[in-house]
Amino acid sequence: MKLSYLILPLVVAGLAACTPSEQNAAIGALGGAAVGAAVSSDKDRTKGAVVGAIVGVTASQLLGPAPQRGKCYYRDQYGNRFIADCQ
């Protein structure tokens, strides 16, 4: 029951997101929260969802789409970040 109270605001925020960056952050938060809750034990599902949401938002902002339409950020084997056409 507690988990649904945590997920509901994230769903609403995802629907209200205007920019692609905000939409990616909302999707990252929802996906991360779902995975975090799924891999946590029964008594730690809420903590797992919160940690998963934080990781999902962070990952969506660091590895998400570039500011140009049709372009994405990538990293090469040396850790350098570059922009190229999305695959």
Side-chain angles (χ1 to χ4, degrees):
M1 186 67 112
K2 291 180 183 178
L3 185 61
S4 63
Y5 291 124
L6 177 69
I7 299 294
L8 185 62
L10 294 174
V11 171
V12 171
L15 294 174
C18 297
T19 67
S21 179
E22 291 171 347
Q23 292 169 350
N24 289 335
I27 291 169
L30 286 172
V35 171
V39 300
S40 299
S41 65
D42 287 339
K43 64 180 183 177
D44 290 332
R45 291 218 191 269
T46 303
K47 290 178 186 176
V50 170
V51 171
I54 292 168
V55 170
V57 168
T58 303
S60 72
Q61 296 305 306
L62 293 176
L63 302 174
Q68 301 141 351
R69 185 166 288 234
K71 303 286 184 177
C72 291
Y73 286 118
Y74 295 99
R75 291 196 184 269
D76 64 13
Q77 71 248 20
Y78 305 110
N80 299 321
R81 194 164 123 175
F82 63 95
I83 297 174
D85 291 332
C86 293
Q87 296 180 358

